[in-house]
Amino acid sequence: MSGPKICFVIGGPGSGKGTQCEMLVAKYGLAHFSSGDLLRAEVASGSERGKQLEAIMKEGKLVDMNTVIELLKEAAYKSYEEQPDKIILLDGFPREMEQAKQFEEKVCKATYVLSFDCSNETMTSRLLSRAQTSGRADDNIETIKKRLVTFESATSPVLEYYKAEGRLVSVSAEDAKEVIFANTCAGLKL
């Protein structure tokens, strides 16, 4: 397959997707991008686009999907040029079906869609534990419940689509992180 080897990484809040991405990067040197990190980096760059994004984000508005996809495309192709054989992890993307469709039309098809499957109870417990040290405003029980409902309703169609396509790699995220990592590596054939 020519072009970047994209892996969408999907999992609910507290499913451990960030931890697993970090472990994949550390062991295999994979590229790892999240749209939030890319947006913050663009703002920090002081570019004209960064200034426009900063104004949008300061108003509490969402950055439009085309801009997010453009940032992901730029990062993916830069990484592909530097390491053409490495899988590129897109952490927390897509969040809903329209994002997946737009990315695949404008950038390239995802090679894998990695889903970390975890019960709401486990994710809630992990987030409440994280809340003790994170200082994150969204790590409270009421917000967590809302985030879980939003995640499930938005991503279920994405997971069903990629399962039917044969590109979904589902990994149980209920175990210890080392067990989850071993299963992730096996699923991605690393």
Side-chain angles (χ1 to χ4, degrees):
M1 177 183 185
S2 61
K5 293 178 193 165
I6 299 293
C7 178
F8 292 154
V9 182
I10 300 173
S15 64
K17 65 186 174 299
T19 298
Q20 293 301 314
C21 285
E22 288 172 11
M23 293 171 75
L24 288 165
V25 169
K27 183 165 184 176
Y28 297 104
L30 306 185
H32 173 224
F33 302 107
S34 78
S35 56
D37 289 346
L38 292 171
L39 287 166
R40 285 184 288 277
E42 188 67 26
V43 168
S45 77
S47 71
E48 192 56 42
R49 180 169 64 180
K51 290 174 187 170
Q52 292 169 350
L53 292 173
E54 184 176 30
I56 292 166
M57 295 186 311
K58 275 187 176 175
E59 291 179 28
K61 295 180 180 175
L62 290 176
V63 175
D64 74 276
M65 181 172 39
N66 289 329
T67 302
V68 172
I69 289 173
E70 189 61 30
L71 287 169
L72 289 168
K73 178 181 180 178
E74 290 168 11
Y77 275 93
K78 183 173 188 283
S79 176
Y80 173 67
E81 287 170 13
E82 294 168 1
Q83 297 181 303
D85 296 330
K86 296 284 185 182
I87 294 171
I88 299 167
L89 306 169
L90 298 187
D91 185 351
F93 186 89
R95 293 189 185 274
E96 45 92 27
M97 197 64 223
E98 188 57 29
Q99 288 180 340
K101 287 180 186 173
Q102 290 293 320
F103 184 91
E104 291 198 335
E105 284 175 16
K106 296 176 179 179
V107 183
C108 66
K109 281 191 170 276
T111 305
Y112 303 101
V113 178
L114 180 59
S115 172
F116 290 106
D117 303 333
C118 201
S119 69
N120 286 351
E121 294 76 21
T122 297
M123 289 187 281
T124 300
S125 171
R126 288 176 181 169
L127 290 169
L128 290 174
S129 177
R130 180 177 81 181
Q132 296 172 6
T133 58
S134 73
R136 285 182 54 162
D138 58 352
D139 282 348
N140 65 73
I141 192 68
E142 290 308 313
T143 304
I144 289 167
K145 286 179 182 177
K146 291 175 187 170
R147 290 172 65 201
L148 292 171
V149 168
T150 299
F151 169 77
E152 183 141 340
S153 65
T155 58
S156 288
V158 176
L159 298 177
E160 289 170 22
Y161 173 79
Y162 286 109
K163 183 177 183 180
E165 288 268 309
R167 291 188 271 162
L168 184 67
V169 176
S170 292
V171 176
S172 171
E174 296 287 340
D175 297 305
K177 66 182 177 182
E178 296 79 13
V179 174
I180 298 166
F181 185 66
N183 292 334
T184 299
C185 294
L188 294 177
K189 299 173 179 67
L190 296 172

